[in-house]
């Protein structure tokens, strides 16, 4: 198979995809077809990984009882996070919606197998955390692939990770990384919701371009 040539038109659309990919917290409740979900997982698994270890583990959370427990986990963590804010920040924080757990039709917890036999340890001798970084790349690939098909992903990290792992009864060697809400977004935007709500704003890329 010959390598594809990516046309200027495709490159411009890809740039739009990066611009319009959002963290989604407001979902429609209609489900994403199973074939599309399976395709997203397939694409996520094309992500790079240290030593080709493919340490990502995607756990679909369908059981209502487990979802309720995760929802309670989020509520406790979010209350604790709110109490850690003060003054104006606390008032603003209280107005933010920081998870789509009540509406998203699909929920996926992502773990990293931190010591996988796959990859035979290549590349992670000096930096064992590279397995985690690899799994994060798979999440980002999933996120972009979903956005390309008009499907929203919302990353929930306001959770107690040990409790989440216990709720989902996974291998004790797996590290909890993310809880993803997945579904069709209620709205599209080219600007982060936190920016639109006045919590924080993006900066020009040149601010992180450092010369030595
Ligand atoms: C590691 C990570 C954890 C995040 N955790 C949360 C979260 O718990 N709740 C939330 O509402 N958004 C969460 N986000 C989404 C960010 O707030 C969002 O990416 C950021 O505001 C930029 O918006 P955008 O993704 O729409 O560009 C998380 C994003 C990342 C990468």
């Amino acid at each position: 198979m010959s390598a594809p040539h990516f046309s200027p038109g495709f490159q411009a659309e890809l740039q739009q995809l990066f611009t319009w990919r959002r963290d989604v917290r407001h979902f429609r409740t209609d489900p994403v077809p199973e074939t599309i979900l399976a395709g997203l997982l397939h694409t996520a698994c094309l992500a790079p990984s240290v030593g080709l270890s493919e340490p990502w583990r995607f756990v679909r959370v369908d059981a209502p009882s487990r979802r309720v427990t995760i929802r309670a986990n989020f509520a406790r963590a979010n209350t604790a996070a709110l109490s850690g804010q003060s003054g104006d920040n606390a008032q603003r924080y209280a107005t933010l919606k920081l998870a789509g757990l009540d509406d998203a039709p699909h929920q996926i917890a992502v773990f990293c197998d931190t010591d996988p036999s796959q990859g035979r340890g290549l590349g992670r001798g000096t930096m064992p955390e590279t397995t985690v970084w690899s799994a994060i790349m798979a999440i980002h690939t999933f996120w972009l692939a979903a956005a390309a098909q008009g499907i929203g992903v919302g990353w929930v990290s306001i959770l107690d990770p040990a409790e989440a792992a216990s709720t989902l009864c996974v291998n004790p060697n797996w590290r909890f990384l993310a809880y993803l809400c997945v579904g069709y977004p209620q709205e599209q935007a080219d600007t982060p919701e936190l920016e639109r709500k006045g919590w924080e704003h993006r900066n020009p890329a040149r601010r992180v371009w450092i010369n030595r």
Side-chain angles (χ1 to χ4, degrees):
M1 196 165 59
S2 58
H5 166 74
F6 298 112
S7 68
F10 172 82
Q11 291 171 32
E13 288 200 336
L14 185 59
Q15 187 61 39
Q16 283 193 311
L17 173 66
F18 295 140
T19 302
W20 283 83
R21 178 215 50 80
R22 288 279 70 78
D23 185 82
V24 173
R25 296 129 182 146
H26 309 267
F27 292 92
R28 291 179 2 212
T29 55
D30 49 313
V32 175
E34 285 299 319
T35 50
I36 294 182
L37 284 176
L40 295 179
L41 183 66
H42 174 82
T43 304
C45 291
L46 298 176
S49 61
V50 62
L52 198 51
S53 57
E54 301 184 315
W56 41 75
R57 306 288 180 261
F58 290 79
V59 177
R60 271 188 77 162
V61 184
D62 292 330
S65 60
R66 293 196 209 276
R67 286 191 177 191
V68 166
T69 308
I70 293 286
R71 181 72 180 75
N73 181 340
F74 168 77
R76 279 191 302 278
N78 201 35
T79 301
L82 173 59
S83 67
Q85 302 280 351
S86 57
D88 185 42
N89 276 352
Q91 277 183 344
R92 282 169 187 254
Y93 188 98
T95 68
L96 298 174
K97 184 173 196 288
L98 295 171
L101 292 167
D102 294 332
D103 304 324
H106 308 286
Q107 300 185 10
I108 301 171
V110 187
F111 291 82
C112 175
D113 183 343
T114 53
D115 192 20
S117 56
Q118 186 175 335
R120 307 189 213 181
L122 189 150
R124 53 188 155 97
T126 53
M127 290 194 279
E129 63 273 33
T130 45
T131 52
V132 168
W133 301 344
S134 303
I136 299 289
M137 304 216 57
I139 295 173
H140 192 222
T141 305
F142 182 95
W143 205 341
L144 286 170
Q149 298 193 57
I151 297 163
V153 173
W155 185 321
V156 186
S157 59
I158 305 168
L159 289 165
D160 180 301
E163 270 184 46
S166 160
T167 301
L168 301 173
C169 300
V170 296
N171 186 317
N173 294 326
W174 293 5
R175 178 165 163 195
F176 176 80
L177 300 183
Y179 198 82
L180 306 179
C181 294
V182 179
Y184 293 104
Q186 285 185 12
E187 57 181 9
Q188 306 273 4
D190 65 355
T191 312
E193 187 173 331
L194 293 187
E195 188 161 344
R196 284 177 278 139
K197 294 271 170 72
W199 177 264
E200 194 49 276
H201 60 273
R202 285 185 294 193
N203 282 294
R206 64 173 181 278
R207 266 191 58 176
V208 293
W209 192 247
I210 293 141
N211 293 312
R212 283 287 180 273

